[in-house]
Amino acid sequence: AELQARVDWAAGATPRLQLAVAQARVAPLRLMPVPAVRGARPLAQWASLDMQGLQADLLARSVAVDRLALSQPQLALARDRAGALDLQRWLRTPSAAPGRDRAVPPRPAASTADLAEVTSPWRVDLADLRVDGGRLQWADAQPVPAVALSLQGLRLHLQGLAWPAGPRPARFDLAAQLPAASGQAGRLAAKGTLALAPLALRGSVQMERLPLHSLEPYFGAALPVKLARGELGWQGQVNASLPASGDIAGLSLDAQGQALLADLDLRTPGDAAALAAGTEDDQLLSWASLQLKPLRVRLAQSSKPRIDIGEVVLSDFYSRLVITEQGRFNLRDVQAEPGAAGEAPAVPATAASAPAGLPVELTVGATRLNSGRVDFTDRFVRPNYSAQLTELDGAIGRFTSTSPADLATVDLRGRVAGTGRLEIRGAFNPTANPLALDIQARTTDLELAPLSPYSGKYAGYAIERGKLSVDLAYKVAPDGTLAARNQIVLNQLTFGAAVDSPEATKLPVRLAVALLTDRNGVIDLDLPVSGSINDPQFSVWGIVWKILGNLLSKALTSPFALLAGGGADDLSSIAFVPGTARLAEGGGAAIDRIAKALQERPALRLTVAGHADPVAERAAVQAAVVDARLQAEQRRDLARAGTPVNAAVSAASASAALPALSAADSARLLKRLYTDTALSDRPRNFIGMLKDLPHAEMRARLEAAVPVTPDTARELALQRSLRVRDALIERGLPSERLFLGAPKVAVAVPAQAASAPAAAFSPHVELSLAAP
């Protein structure tokens, strides 16, 4: 050590005690722990300490230094698990010396002048301070995991520092490095002015690659995620000050510049070993860079914090979404640990009120997204399903929290699962309350075959091929009312082999798909949604799935209502004239509609089954047989008269092919038929000739003689089936899509066995649909 000093001391009425040091040097200096430990590092050291021009007035409590230079200073501080600093162990507690344990007489009370002298503050003026090659080390064992930080290459030049306050703030120039394991050190540089009382800083600050992850143990418990990596950069001007009280709540800040958050890696909460392993299984979000340029942050005690961002640029970002083997979504794990710092108490969803708005005033001029990627993996289904959203690019326009009615334009594009295209356009304001939104999203040509794990698990069939397109439109009104359209188009959806899945639906899935598929192999569904997003029970996708479920249920329980276009007409039954194979009124129109609907759905197969009742239709069958015999007699007469009649005309349409009979001709043919029919109980005269009977009685006797058996009804039911099948073929349906079902003949129930009157029978043909 070297010292050149002068002391000026005088006692008496005007005492003085002044010290003048022309120059002093202490080089080098090391402070070692006691007791000495072999291989221990110094607690503090420097290569040299040089001081020039010190003037100290000890009675006036003032010190002025012209120049102070510190070369290669090093300071190592540590805190143990109990929270004690090793600096506390540097200072020994003085113990009582032998023989000094007796009572010490009290000191006389100090005078007011003495108190004023003792309590008067020191004034320090430092004209020039230089620190070069400094190093600071901090080891903290209290957080988990422990923290180890190092600041190297510290360089500081400070001019005009005064305590407690000088006529003008001090000027400073600071630079340092933060070493990193990757070898790319972070850098810190600041230049400007500094005042100590009250504390105020103004100047330029530049930070490069500040390792936020090194500080994560201090704030990680308050985050819902784990920060595995993140480097912060800043370049700009900072103006900050504290009030005279030093209360941090009164901080005033105005920072302007550019910010960069690079190499971010956020992971789902897990144990330290899994985090250290760095596998992608727990990765949640990452990006190469997030630029905010320009950025201005203003804090004032009397108003909300304000953040203004000219442009946000997010590049090379990645997100991983996972459904675990237990069916748990990884985003559900993104929540702070119970009891973590900063965690708010849970609020039941039914009792939650609308959010109170942002705690800051935020304005973002524009946002650009470059080269985004989202990975989705579902391990809950077997086999597992994975899909990617890649090439995500686009832009979002200006929005501000101070004007929620102003919507930012949105234009995003990407690729889904390597095949489908994604487009999102519209406008929104994420800061509005309720959310302001008018968005249209469209995905086209998404291949369905990769979705076989889902169709096998829930539908019971694998998917061989098909494409999906989705067109969504969502609009939220200022009062929170949502109006949404969800158009889903499935093109050429083809099921493959059946899958044995206990969770598969028992509904006829193939039939439902065939019912919804048009002649071009397209299923086009429009699922509208409406409601209020302010209702805590409101769920958009819950309503979508309910509408879709209702549609499928209707398709399976009332397929012909779906074929009829959703009307009330029941096309599953074609009515017939009792006792005949002739269509009732409206039957032809119903067949027309069925034929058209089936032509639009070529995958459907139709089964036609006729119904007849030998008891309920007995009289009608007998009357129809007599009518048929009369028409046969009429054809004979026409043939004898030389009028050609198509003999191949079916009995169902024979009456339409014959001219109408006059009353006289009808009576004549009826009498002939009665005469030619061998009836056992026909009345005769005394010579054995048939008596002339009224026409009504003759017809009644002819009808009563016609036998009606179950075989008769079965044949009638079959003829009805053939009538409908032939009519559909005439309308262009191929016969290979039409099948005849077994004739349905009603079985008579004995009166004594019937517990209730039977419903009136209506002759008809029953239609049923099936898929191949």
Side-chain angles (χ1 to χ4, degrees):
E2 301 178 4
L3 177 66
Q4 296 181 7
R6 181 175 58 85
V7 177
D8 185 2
W9 173 78
T14 56
R16 65 180 180 275
L17 179 58
Q18 298 174 346
L19 174 66
V21 178
Q23 61 182 14
R25 178 180 178 85
V26 179
L29 175 71
R30 289 189 177 186
L31 298 178
M32 303 297 295
V34 178
V37 179
R38 188 179 186 87
R41 294 182 177 181
L43 301 176
Q45 63 179 346
W46 63 62
S48 64
L49 172 65
D50 292 280
M51 182 172 59
Q52 296 177 356
L54 181 145
Q55 300 290 332
D57 189 334
L58 302 182
L59 297 182
R61 304 173 72 86
S62 67
V63 177
V65 180
D66 290 340
R67 184 176 184 274
L68 183 64
L70 191 60
S71 177
Q72 299 180 13
Q74 297 184 26
L75 178 63
L77 297 176
R79 185 169 68 166
D80 59 23
R81 294 295 299 273
L85 290 173
D86 58 355
L87 181 63
Q88 296 172 320
R89 295 193 295 270
W90 294 9
L91 306 175
R92 291 190 173 184
T93 303
S95 58
R100 300 286 300 273
D101 55 349
R102 59 181 177 268
V104 178
R107 297 178 60 183
S111 65
T112 304
D114 292 337
L115 288 176
E117 180 180 352
V118 171
T119 58
S120 61
W122 279 88
R123 178 174 177 81
V124 179
D125 291 288
L126 181 58
D128 188 273
L129 170 65
R130 294 179 182 270
V131 178
D132 186 38
R135 180 177 181 180
L136 298 177
Q137 291 179 298
W138 169 250
D140 193 347
Q142 191 172 44
V144 178
V147 175
L149 300 175
S150 177
L151 196 66
Q152 298 181 1
L154 178 63
R155 178 179 58 82
L156 173 64
H157 186 197
L158 187 63
Q159 293 178 298
L161 181 66
W163 176 266
R168 63 182 62 88
R171 297 187 301 273
F172 70 92
D173 189 349
L174 172 70
Q177 295 183 358
L178 294 86
S182 62
Q184 296 179 327
R187 299 180 183 275
L188 172 64
K191 187 176 183 179
T193 61
L194 174 67
L196 298 181
L199 185 63
L201 182 145
R202 180 191 296 269
S204 63
V205 178
Q206 182 176 357
M207 295 184 295
E208 296 180 7
R209 309 181 69 91
L210 181 66
L212 294 178
H213 48 276
S214 298
L215 303 174
E216 196 271 346
Y218 290 119
F219 56 79
L223 296 179
V225 294
K226 292 293 184 182
L227 176 61
R229 183 173 179 80
E231 295 180 345
L232 178 64
W234 165 265
Q235 181 176 355
Q237 301 294 316
V238 175
N239 184 6
S241 63
L242 285 176
S245 63
D247 186 3
I248 191 66
L251 173 66
S252 176
L253 173 68
D254 188 354
Q256 304 180 58
Q258 299 182 8
L260 172 66
L261 182 56
D263 295 336
L264 182 78
D265 186 356
L266 295 178
R267 297 177 179 267
T268 53
D271 55 61
L275 188 64
T279 63
E280 290 189 355
D281 288 346
D282 59 350
Q283 192 170 28
L284 182 66
L285 177 66
S286 67
W287 62 61
S289 68
L290 174 65
Q291 302 178 59
L292 309 176
K293 54 180 185 179
L295 168 65
R296 185 174 186 182
V297 179
R298 284 171 284 181
L299 300 179
Q301 189 173 11
S302 59
S303 61
K304 270 187 178 183
R306 182 174 179 85
I307 300 177
D308 295 288
I309 305 173
E311 183 181 39
V312 178
V313 181
L314 181 61
S315 301
D316 297 327
F317 58 95
Y318 168 79
S319 178
R320 181 177 179 84
L321 307 178
V322 179
I323 298 178
T324 66
E325 291 86 347
Q326 296 76 29
R328 184 179 180 86
F329 197 27
N330 65 337
L331 290 183
R332 292 184 59 187
D333 295 328
V334 180
Q335 55 187 1
E337 298 295 331
E343 182 181 4
V347 178
T350 56
S353 59
L358 291 179
V360 300
E361 293 182 359
L362 174 66
T363 298
V364 179
T367 302
R368 288 194 289 118
L369 305 178
N370 300 323
S371 302
R373 179 167 64 96
V374 178
D375 282 354
F376 174 75
T377 301
D378 190 345
R379 299 173 183 161
F380 187 63
V381 297
R382 293 287 187 275
N384 296 160
Y385 172 74
S386 297
Q388 288 186 336
L389 174 62
T390 57
E391 303 176 26
L392 187 58
D393 299 285
I396 301 174
R398 180 182 184 277
F399 63 88
T400 175
S401 63
T402 59
S403 182
D406 295 340
L407 303 185
T409 58
V410 178
D411 187 1
L412 302 177
R413 298 166 303 280
R415 185 178 292 274
V416 183
T419 59
R421 300 298 303 180
L422 171 66
E423 295 179 1
I424 301 176
R425 290 195 173 114
F428 84 128
N429 190 329
T431 66
N433 180 29
L435 176 68
L437 183 73
D438 188 359
I439 292 291
Q440 299 82 44
R442 186 179 184 187
T443 300
T444 57
D445 293 334
L446 177 64
E447 293 290 344
L448 291 173
L451 294 173
S452 275
Y454 291 107
S455 65
K457 182 180 181 68
Y458 298 111
Y461 295 94
I463 296 179
E464 284 191 357
R465 67 178 185 132
K467 291 187 176 183
L468 169 67
S469 295
V470 179
D471 194 350
L472 310 177
Y474 281 67
K475 185 173 184 179
V476 179
D479 62 354
T481 300
L482 170 69
R485 174 179 56 84
N486 303 272
Q487 186 174 14
I488 302 172
V489 178
L490 301 167
N491 191 5
Q492 308 302 318
L493 173 60
T494 305
F495 284 125
V499 177
D500 185 12
S501 170
E503 298 182 48
T505 179
K506 305 305 179 185
L507 299 175
V509 177
R510 288 182 179 271
L511 175 58
V513 170
L515 282 166
L516 298 173
T517 305
D518 65 16
R519 66 185 307 169
N520 298 316
V522 174
I523 298 176
D524 192 342
L525 304 176
D526 191 3
L527 309 176
V529 174
S530 62
S532 174
I533 63 174
N534 295 327
D535 182 358
Q537 302 298 327
F538 179 74
S539 170
V540 172
W541 289 109
I543 294 177
V544 169
W545 285 116
K546 183 177 180 179
I547 294 174
L548 184 58
N550 292 341
L551 179 62
L552 293 177
S553 177
K554 181 177 181 180
L556 295 172
T557 57
S558 305
F560 287 94
L562 184 66
L563 292 181
D569 294 343
D570 183 10
L571 298 182
S572 64
S573 179
I574 305 298
F576 278 76
V577 175
T580 72
R582 297 197 308 273
L583 294 171
E585 183 179 359
I591 292 177
D592 289 339
R593 295 175 65 184
I594 291 173
K596 182 179 179 181
L598 291 179
Q599 287 169 350
E600 294 296 325
R601 296 165 176 82
L604 288 175
R605 304 292 184 262
L606 183 68
T607 298
V608 182
H611 285 246
D613 188 336
V615 175
E617 292 189 273
R618 179 179 182 85
V621 169
Q622 291 172 329
V625 170
V626 171
D627 288 339
R629 294 179 64 185
L630 290 173
Q631 291 165 6
E633 292 296 327
Q634 183 182 8
R635 281 196 296 272
R636 289 195 193 97
D637 287 352
L638 292 175
R640 293 190 190 101
T643 302
V645 178
N646 186 2
V649 175
S650 66
S653 57
S655 59
L658 295 173
L661 287 172
S662 64
D665 289 339
S666 178
R668 178 176 55 82
L669 293 177
L670 179 63
K671 185 175 181 178
R672 181 196 301 172
L673 184 60
Y674 177 76
T675 303
D676 294 342
T677 302
L679 300 175
S680 59
D681 57 346
R682 290 180 296 181
R684 294 178 181 273
N685 59 19
F686 68 96
I687 60 173
M689 301 286 293
L690 293 176
K691 288 185 176 180
D692 288 334
L693 299 176
H695 292 143
E697 185 177 347
M698 285 190 293
R699 183 176 181 92
R701 288 179 176 273
L702 287 171
E703 291 178 356
V706 175
V708 179
T709 66
D711 290 338
T712 306
R714 186 174 293 105
E715 179 62 24
L716 178 57
L718 177 60
Q719 293 302 319
R720 289 169 174 168
S721 299
L722 293 171
R723 177 71 182 90
V724 173
R725 186 203 65 174
D726 294 345
L728 290 172
I729 292 175
E730 290 173 0
R731 288 160 173 78
L733 286 179
S735 61
E736 57 267 21
R737 294 179 57 194
L738 303 173
F739 298 86
L740 291 180
K744 307 297 183 182
V745 177
V747 178
V749 179
Q752 61 272 20
S755 58
F761 175 78
S762 297
H764 65 283
V765 163
E766 181 183 9
L767 306 179
S768 59
L769 296 168

